[in-house]
Amino acid sequence: MHVGGSFAARVLAAATLSILVAGCTGAGSLPPLPAQVEGPYKLGAGDRVRLVVFGQDELTGEYLVSDSGFVTVPLIGAVDAEGMSVQELENAVSGKLAEGILVAPNTTVEIATYRPFYILGETKAPGQYPFVPRMTVLTAVSISGGFTFRADQDTVSITREVDGELAEFRADPLAFVQPGDVINVYERYF
């Protein structure tokens, strides 16, 4: 599903709205973060992939998944990548190249850089940071400089896209973060 506008702008707007609505309630009234779905990583806007087409140096390179979810490859144009695994993107690119451009193309795709995550609230340096696989909320907080002295270290929420919709969940500090997540560390009450 492709929705207009920048994914990062939508996520940040939803996170800001949830902070304003939540006010002083913290993450306690939010639903818990759903269990992590196992399976291959799904590509999304902001991911950068490295495409290798063997024997075709002019097609080999790094490509960005655009805000609309496409990767634009010379000779074949835009290839839908949103929600695809790396293997599915390999097959899609090979299929398009085999349509009269190359005979039996051999391609590989790997993730060069993941889309970033965002952290707000009571950390020393809130902002946007590069995603690291298998990262937990606690790891994300440490990347952003650690908790401030006002931080409630047990009250954290994550805003995440689930089935095409943005939703906010209560998260344990050891919960896994996904690319594009917005983490909010709340202030504790003295």
Side-chain angles (χ1 to χ4, degrees):
M1 175 177 174
H2 299 294
V3 180
S6 166
F7 176 76
R10 291 183 311 192
V11 170
L12 287 176
T16 303
L17 178 62
S18 69
I19 291 168
L20 293 174
V21 170
C24 297
T25 62
S29 61
L30 296 172
L33 191 66
Q36 192 88 359
V37 177
E38 293 298 320
Y41 176 74
K42 299 296 183 183
L43 295 169
D47 286 326
R48 184 170 291 280
V49 295
R50 177 158 174 73
L51 169 67
V52 177
V53 182
F54 294 104
Q56 302 296 320
D57 292 339
E58 61 278 354
L59 297 176
T60 296
E62 287 191 8
Y63 298 91
L64 179 69
V65 179
S66 70
D67 283 349
S68 57
F70 290 89
V71 172
T72 304
V73 180
L75 298 179
I76 60 174
V79 179
D80 192 2
E82 181 86 26
M84 287 188 164
S85 68
V86 171
Q87 181 65 47
E88 290 168 334
L89 182 57
E90 280 178 19
N91 294 339
V93 170
S94 289
K96 285 198 168 209
L97 286 171
E99 293 174 0
I101 297 171
L102 295 175
V103 177
N106 189 356
T107 63
T108 61
V109 174
E110 62 184 22
I111 298 171
T113 56
Y114 294 90
R115 58 191 179 274
F117 74 94
Y118 307 87
I119 190 159
L120 305 170
E122 297 300 322
T123 66
K124 292 181 181 170
Q128 172 184 316
Y129 292 94
F131 176 78
V132 178
R134 307 277 307 155
M135 178 172 45
T136 65
V137 169
L138 202 54
T139 308
V141 168
S142 69
I143 289 171
S144 69
F147 292 108
T148 66
F149 73 94
R150 293 182 305 269
D152 182 345
Q153 296 182 19
D154 297 321
T155 306
V156 178
S157 71
I158 292 180
T159 302
R160 175 177 291 168
E161 186 171 347
V162 178
D163 297 327
E165 298 291 325
L166 291 175
E168 185 176 16
F169 303 97
R170 181 179 66 247
D172 181 91
L174 296 178
F176 286 107
V177 175
Q178 294 179 0
D181 280 356
V182 176
I183 303 164
N184 187 25
V185 179
Y186 290 92
E187 183 176 351
R188 66 185 155 108
Y189 300 100
F190 297 93

